[in-house]
């Protein structure tokens, strides 16, 4: 291990108290150590346990049975898309109504006091309304479900990577998420609805695919075959894609998002099912919104976030503009990296000092009040007055100190929901904003967006990023026209607003292919596919030079054992022998019940997988591998008293079936809740029928990159390390691999601790 620059020891192992540690929401003790890997996060079982029960069920199933299963998968994906679309419709209508009431009240108040003085009352009203909405949403998140905070994308990304994030796909999380995002957007924060929509779609998928609600304790006795992590993962991928599709009206973009940013494991058959769910989601949203707006049958709205369509005259670019687009991409990468760095240190500050729920609510209210104050000040001191045209589409235009027939241009950006502001920057005609307005707005909104992301509210970062980029992108286009003194060459400044929006968002989240398709589908500008891709790639390359993407930064901040696509490039000299956990707790094929109970009750280890060997000796010599059995399987066996003595004396009512394990999934009871008498402790348990007889194994000389590739590609939870005689010498888990990463000084090894 001499080549590792930072060698640190393993800390004590945790227990199920990790349920109280909210991801991306700070630590309970207010401490943070960036050289620690959090032990409380367990792994999911994305590899099927092919024991005798599983194989017997699969072999009994006919070809027609498998066809029926495939049909059910399509039905579930359709339900996921339908319900996700309904949720998106609910969010859109609620935000439109609440924001409409708020802006109408503030506008009437401003118009009332503009002429006679007393605009401070309007400021107070705006700040109070903002703070009230945000307070309600923050209380719901901080006190009832902390896992509903943020966008939810990092959590879903971790889940699809194979990390078990407590409560991330529960019904309560969904309810608070939807309620919270409505309050956040209506409260005027620099946030968007797209991230929470992705999280909501994933929760819907996790619930629908199981055919029951464990929160409501209601089992509909359907889709029981899909009650396992492997199947659930695929449906969660479809739910995330449906959320993207509902948010942006981008079904193809949703599929690519799920593939690029979310899903760590993929199969070809899954692609069309996910696309189907995305299409249903978009159709459902558009259908019900058309009914709500009194235009049934007109499915013209592209999605929850409507950027508007670029007309044919504005979707043109010249080859000599390509270098300018690359420069804008580099600028977006630098600004995105600056955003991520500031937010990184701000999040550390929050973890250390703002970890109590009451403080989190107070901070959210403070940000809401400051946002209203800054917005009001920018509008009040702005003298950018533009004439009201006959085709003016500004819903909440303010005249303030402008002459009759004019409106305050700064109010178009600040006195609106963020997506409406983006749309105005994309499509308002040239001359709608002066350069000073755009420059001041970019600076102010950048600061507000950095401060807002990470609050204890449900919120996304897509729309604020697009709004910042659209502002400086439009400014870039105006300056080009000024420098060259030939406005006709550079055409519509909305073109540069679109490129700037892509550059800024790409610099923050580092998405490329999926974001290109999302923006193309959302704006209908296929012509800009190539420039947008070029800009996003440039932004990613430049941004990655300074810091990781925002989602990866927050995943690392919470010390999640996240496995990236490849092992660290300098890790080839490490072998399985050096990274494995040892000694390993093993069981015999026929094991004493008392020993099983004692091992499962040992809170100092909390192991979840146990190799089954031919024979264990008292001097702890390793035995030859026979199989692998999971903690969850042993708990079900103990619960049903599957003992050898009971079977021989015919005390067992029936043979245990795979259905018994599926009924207990995913909330297997803790070992402390299972009563085992003293007489039962002396009984024996035969594990042969329930263990996986063909677990994946590697020799102890296998290199770390090879172990990593096998573990990552197959979605394993446990990988058994054996010697030349096939005897168990160690066990590799997710945390054994995730603790090695490439730092500034080379390969580093992290602590493994309960943070």
């Amino acid at each position: 291990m001499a080549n590792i620059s930072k060698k640190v020891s393993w800390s004590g192992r945790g227990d199920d108290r990790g349920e109280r540690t909210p991801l991306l929401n700070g630590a309970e003790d207010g401490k943070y150590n960036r050289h620690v890997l959090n032990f409380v996060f367990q792994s999911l079982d994305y590899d099927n346990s092919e024991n005798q029960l599983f194989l017997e069920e699969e072999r009994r199933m006919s070809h027609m049975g498998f066809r029926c299963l495939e049909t059910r998968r399509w039905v579930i994906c359709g339900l996921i898309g339908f319900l996700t679309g309904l949720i998106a419709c609910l969010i859109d209508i609620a935000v439109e109504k609440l924001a409409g009431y708020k802006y109408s009240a503030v506008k009437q108040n401003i118009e009332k006091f503009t002429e006679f003085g007393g605009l401070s009352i309007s400021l107070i009203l705006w700040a109070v309304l903002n703070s009230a909405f945000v307070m309600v949403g923050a209380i719901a998140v901080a006190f009832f479900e902390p896992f509903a905070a943020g966008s939810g994308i990092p959590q879903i990304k971790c889940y699809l990577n194979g990390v078990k994030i407590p409560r991330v796909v529960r019904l309560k999380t969904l309810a608070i998420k939807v309620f919270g995002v409505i309050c956040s957007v209506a409260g005027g924060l620099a946030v968007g609805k797209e991230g929470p929509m992705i999280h909501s779609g994933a929760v819907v998928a996790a619930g629908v695919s199981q055919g029951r609600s464990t929160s409501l304790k209601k089992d509909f006795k359907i889709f029981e075959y899909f009650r396992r992590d492997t199947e659930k993962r695929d449906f969660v991928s479809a739910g995330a894609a449906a959320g993207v599709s509902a948010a942006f009206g981008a079904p193809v973009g949703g599929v690519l998002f799920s593939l690029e940013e979310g899903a760590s494991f993929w199969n070809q058959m899954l692609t069309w099912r996910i696309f189907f769910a995305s299409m249903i989601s978009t159709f459902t949203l558009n259908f019900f919104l058309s009914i709500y707006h009194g235009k049934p049958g007109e499915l013209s709205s592209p999605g929850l976030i409507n950027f508007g369509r670029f007309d044919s005259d504005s979707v043109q670019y010249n080859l000599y503009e390509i270098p300018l687009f690359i420069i804008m991409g580099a600028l977006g990468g630098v600004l995105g990296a600056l955003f991520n760095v500031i937010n990184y240190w701000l999040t550390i500050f929050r973890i250390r000092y703002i970890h109590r729920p009451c403080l989190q609510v107070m901070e959210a209210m403070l940000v809401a009040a400051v946002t209203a104050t800054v917005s009001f000040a920018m509008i009040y001191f702005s003298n950018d007055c533009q004439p009201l045209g006959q085709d003016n589409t500004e819903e909440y235009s303010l005249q303030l100190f402008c002459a009759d027939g004019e409106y305050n241009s700064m109010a178009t950006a600040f006195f609106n929901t963020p997506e409406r502001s983006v749309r105005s920057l994309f499509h308002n005609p040239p001359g709608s904003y002066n350069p000073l307005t755009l420059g001041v707005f970019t600076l102010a909104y950048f600061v507000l967006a950095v401060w807002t992301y990470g609050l204890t509210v449900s919120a996304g970062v897509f729309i604020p990023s697009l709004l910042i980029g659209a502002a400086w992108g439009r400014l870039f286009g105006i300056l080009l026209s000024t420098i060259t003194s030939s406005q006709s060459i550079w055409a519509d400044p909305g073109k540069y607003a679109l490129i700037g929006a892509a550059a800024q968002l790409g610099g923050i989240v580092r998405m490329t292919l999926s974001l290109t398709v999302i923006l193309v589908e959302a704006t209908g500008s296929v012509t800009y596919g190539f420039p947008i891709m070029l800009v996003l790639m440039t932004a990613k390359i430049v941004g990655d030079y300074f810091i990781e993407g925002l989602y990866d930064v927050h995943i690392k901040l919470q010390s999640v054992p996240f496995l990236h696509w490849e092992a660290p490039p300098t890790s080839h000299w490490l072998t399985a022998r050096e990274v494995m956990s040892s000694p390993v707790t093993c069981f015999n094929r026929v094991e004493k019940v008392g020993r099983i109970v004692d091992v499962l009750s040992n809170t100092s280890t909390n192991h979840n997988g146990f190799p089954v060997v031919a024979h264990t000796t008292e001097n702890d010599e390793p035995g030859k591998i026979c199989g692998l059995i999971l903690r969850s399987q042993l708990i079900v066996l103990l619960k049903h008293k599957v003992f050898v003595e009971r079977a021989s004396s015919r005390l067992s009512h029936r043979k245990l079936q795979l259905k018994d394990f599926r009924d207990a999934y995913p909330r297997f009871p803790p070992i402390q809740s299972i009563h085992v008498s003293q007489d039962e402790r002396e009984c024996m348990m035969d594990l042969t029928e329930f263990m996986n007889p063909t677990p994946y194994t590697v020799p102890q000389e296998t290199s770390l990159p090879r172990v990593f590739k096998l573990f990552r590609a197959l979605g394993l939870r446990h990988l058994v390390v054996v010697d030349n005689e096939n005897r168990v010498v160690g066990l590799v888990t997710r945390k054994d691999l995730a603790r090695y990463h490439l730092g500034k000084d080379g390969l580093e090894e992290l602590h493994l601790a309960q943070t």
Side-chain angles (χ1 to χ4, degrees):
M1 295 273 187
N3 291 349
I4 300 181
S5 63
K6 193 181 297 294
K7 176 67 171 68
V8 293
S9 61
W10 290 54
S11 295
R13 297 175 180 253
D15 53 26
D16 290 337
R17 287 176 295 176
E19 287 270 334
R20 303 193 195 103
T21 307
L23 180 65
L24 310 185
N25 197 41
E28 290 192 353
D29 57 1
K31 298 178 182 178
Y32 171 71
N33 186 345
R34 62 191 179 95
H35 297 301
V36 166
L37 197 63
N38 201 334
F39 181 79
V40 299
F41 295 112
Q42 299 296 333
S43 296
L44 295 165
D45 294 307
Y46 286 165
D47 177 49
N48 290 323
S49 179
E50 294 190 348
N51 54 25
Q52 291 184 21
L53 295 180
F54 178 83
L55 293 176
E56 288 173 3
E57 181 184 72
E58 295 293 305
R59 289 164 182 167
R60 285 196 305 266
M61 196 173 298
S62 64
H63 177 69
M64 183 57 67
F66 283 107
R67 293 286 297 272
C68 289
L69 282 177
E70 187 63 21
T71 302
R72 290 174 192 166
R73 290 188 178 97
W74 283 89
V75 171
I76 291 173
C77 286
L79 288 173
I80 291 170
F82 178 75
L83 293 176
T84 303
L86 278 181
I87 291 173
C89 183
L90 170 65
I91 292 175
D92 187 67
I93 293 174
V95 168
E96 183 180 333
K97 285 291 185 183
L98 293 177
Y101 292 145
K102 183 190 77 171
Y103 286 122
S104 296
V106 175
K107 180 180 179 180
Q108 291 175 6
N109 195 272
I110 290 176
E111 291 175 345
K112 176 182 177 181
F113 289 104
T114 298
E115 184 176 354
F116 303 104
L119 279 174
S120 57
I121 298 177
S122 302
L123 168 61
I124 294 173
L125 175 64
W126 192 354
V128 168
L129 288 176
N130 272 17
S131 299
F133 280 123
V134 173
M135 180 188 68
V136 174
I139 288 175
V141 172
F143 288 95
F144 295 98
E145 189 48 81
F147 279 87
S151 68
I153 294 177
Q155 291 97 322
I156 297 305
K157 187 173 179 178
C158 289
Y159 182 90
L160 295 174
N161 187 262
V163 182
K164 184 179 181 181
I165 307 297
R167 305 198 302 271
V168 71
V169 289
R170 292 190 185 176
L171 181 62
K172 182 181 177 183
T173 305
L174 174 63
I176 300 298
K177 195 82 178 183
V178 172
F179 178 76
V181 73
I182 292 172
C183 294
S184 299
V185 178
L189 292 177
V191 299
K193 298 174 280 190
E194 73 301 319
M197 270 311 308
I198 295 168
H199 190 180
S200 299
V203 179
V204 167
V208 171
S209 63
Q210 304 303 290
R212 67 177 177 186
S213 171
T214 50
S215 299
L216 300 177
K217 295 180 173 57
K218 180 66 175 178
D219 193 341
F220 297 98
K221 304 296 182 182
I222 56 175
F223 308 142
E224 294 175 310
Y225 180 85
F226 306 120
R227 293 177 184 177
R228 46 181 165 155
D229 289 337
T230 311
E231 297 283 351
K232 193 174 181 180
R233 172 200 66 202
D234 291 346
F235 291 119
V236 169
S237 297
V244 173
S245 182
F248 295 100
V252 178
V255 175
L256 293 176
F257 173 87
S258 190
L259 174 60
E260 178 185 7
E261 193 69 16
S264 299
F265 314 101
W266 198 265
N267 67 69
Q268 192 173 9
M269 292 296 295
L270 186 62
T271 306
W272 283 108
R273 291 201 301 269
I274 291 181
F275 181 69
F276 176 66
S278 300
M279 289 291 294
I280 294 294
S281 176
T282 303
F283 176 82
T284 302
L285 171 65
N286 292 339
F287 177 76
F288 283 102
L289 282 182
S290 67
I291 294 176
Y292 171 74
H293 292 297
K295 300 177 181 178
E298 292 187 15
L299 307 181
S300 58
S301 177
L304 187 65
I305 298 165
N306 183 1
F307 293 139
R309 302 288 175 175
F310 280 79
D311 58 54
S312 57
D313 293 332
S314 63
V315 291
Q316 299 175 3
Y317 66 94
N318 300 293
L319 288 178
Y320 55 77
E321 292 181 280
I322 295 297
L324 296 175
F325 295 156
I326 294 176
I327 292 173
M328 293 181 71
L331 181 58
V334 172
L335 291 176
L338 178 63
F339 186 103
N340 294 356
V341 168
I342 297 174
N343 192 260
Y344 169 81
W345 290 109
L346 182 59
T347 303
I348 291 178
F349 177 84
R350 286 182 173 128
I351 291 174
R352 288 174 175 166
Y353 303 109
I354 314 179
H355 50 272
R356 298 181 184 278
C358 57
L359 294 177
Q360 293 168 344
V361 173
M362 290 173 63
E363 186 198 14
M365 293 175 63
L366 174 64
V367 174
V370 170
T371 300
T373 303
V374 170
S375 301
F376 186 88
M378 294 291 109
I379 297 171
Y380 183 85
F381 291 107
S382 174
N383 58 1
D384 184 7
C385 297
Q386 302 294 335
L388 279 168
Q390 294 181 351
D391 57 345
N392 180 65
T393 59
E394 305 303 333
E395 189 165 349
Y396 307 115
S397 57
L398 287 177
Q399 179 180 353
L400 212 61
F401 301 119
C402 296
D404 292 340
E406 294 182 339
Y407 69 96
N408 188 298
S409 183
M410 183 71 81
T412 306
F414 270 120
F415 197 69
N416 241 326
T417 57
E419 54 267 22
R420 289 180 183 271
S421 300
V422 172
R423 191 161 65 246
S424 67
L425 287 168
F426 280 175
H427 299 288
N428 278 12
S432 299
Y433 301 90
N434 67 38
L436 181 61
T437 297
L438 294 173
V440 172
F441 174 80
T442 299
L443 179 62
Y445 207 80
F446 184 93
V447 174
L448 290 174
V450 171
W451 190 10
T452 302
Y453 190 79
L455 291 176
T456 310
V457 295
S458 299
V461 75
F462 271 55
I463 296 302
S465 304
L466 290 171
L467 183 52
I468 295 168
W472 68 255
R474 190 175 180 108
L475 175 62
F476 188 90
I478 293 174
L479 293 179
L480 280 177
S481 301
T482 304
I483 293 171
T484 60
S485 68
S486 179
Q487 296 186 4
S488 61
I489 296 178
W490 310 109
D492 189 358
K495 168 176 60 177
Y496 288 93
L498 174 61
I499 298 298
Q504 184 66 54
L505 181 54
I508 291 176
V509 301
R510 311 293 160 75
M511 293 163 54
T512 52
L513 181 61
S514 59
L515 187 53
T516 301
V517 177
I518 288 172
L519 290 175
V520 167
E521 289 186 281
T523 59
S525 54
V526 181
T527 309
Y528 281 109
F530 173 70
I532 289 174
M533 172 58 80
L534 196 62
V535 163
L536 291 174
M537 290 178 63
T538 306
K540 177 175 173 57
I541 292 171
V542 174
D544 284 343
Y545 179 80
F546 299 101
I547 191 174
E548 295 175 301
L550 186 64
Y551 300 141
D552 291 328
V553 166
H554 278 260
I555 288 172
K556 185 177 291 186
L557 277 170
Q558 292 299 316
S559 307
V560 177
F562 187 90
L563 296 182
H564 295 279
W565 290 106
E566 300 287 344
T570 60
S571 61
H572 281 82
W573 59 274
L574 284 172
T575 64
R577 182 195 297 110
E578 294 165 303
V579 303
M580 68 185 185
S581 300
S582 63
V584 182
T585 303
C586 299
F587 290 132
N588 292 312
R589 279 180 177 270
V590 181
E591 186 60 78
K592 192 175 181 180
V593 172
R595 182 170 182 268
I596 294 176
V597 172
D598 291 340
V599 169
L600 296 183
S601 303
N602 187 354
T603 57
S604 65
T605 56
N606 199 30
H607 296 306
N608 284 283
F610 305 92
V612 180
V613 296
H615 180 66
T616 57
T617 59
E618 294 183 359
N619 56 2
D620 292 334
E621 289 185 4
K624 289 188 176 182
I625 182 73
C626 295
L628 183 75
I629 194 161
L630 302 175
R631 167 184 286 266
S632 57
Q633 294 172 318
L634 291 171
I635 286 178
V636 174
L637 295 178
L638 289 172
K639 180 181 178 181
H640 289 272
K641 313 292 184 183
V642 184
F643 307 147
V644 174
E645 288 78 6
R646 290 174 66 90
S648 60
S649 61
R650 297 183 180 179
L651 292 175
S652 181
H653 298 291
R654 62 175 176 83
K655 180 182 177 182
L656 206 63
Q657 300 176 353
L658 209 55
K659 182 180 182 300
D660 297 299
F661 294 91
R662 289 171 178 159
D663 287 343
Y665 174 85
R667 301 186 195 177
F668 295 96
I671 184 62
Q672 293 79 9
S673 67
I674 298 175
H675 175 70
V676 179
S677 66
Q678 193 61 38
D679 291 338
E680 289 173 336
R681 288 179 60 89
E682 301 301 320
C683 293
M684 305 299 291
M685 182 182 290
D686 189 352
L687 306 179
T688 305
E689 188 179 6
F690 310 102
M691 69 180 186
N692 180 4
T694 56
Y696 290 99
T697 62
V698 293
Q700 51 188 340
E701 292 81 16
T702 308
S703 68
L704 175 60
R706 193 170 184 84
V707 172
F708 191 100
K709 187 179 296 184
L710 180 65
F711 201 96
R712 180 70 164 73
L714 298 177
L716 303 181
R717 186 176 186 179
H718 305 96
L719 185 60
V720 183
V721 182
V722 296
D723 60 13
N724 295 334
E725 298 181 4
N726 212 33
R727 293 179 300 187
V728 178
V729 295
L731 197 66
V732 176
T733 63
R734 167 179 293 272
K735 300 179 185 71
D736 296 317
L737 299 176
R739 63 191 173 113
Y740 293 98
H741 77 112
L742 195 62
K744 294 181 179 179
D745 301 318
L747 193 64
E748 295 181 352
E749 182 182 357
L750 304 177
H751 285 282
L752 186 65
Q754 184 176 331
T755 61

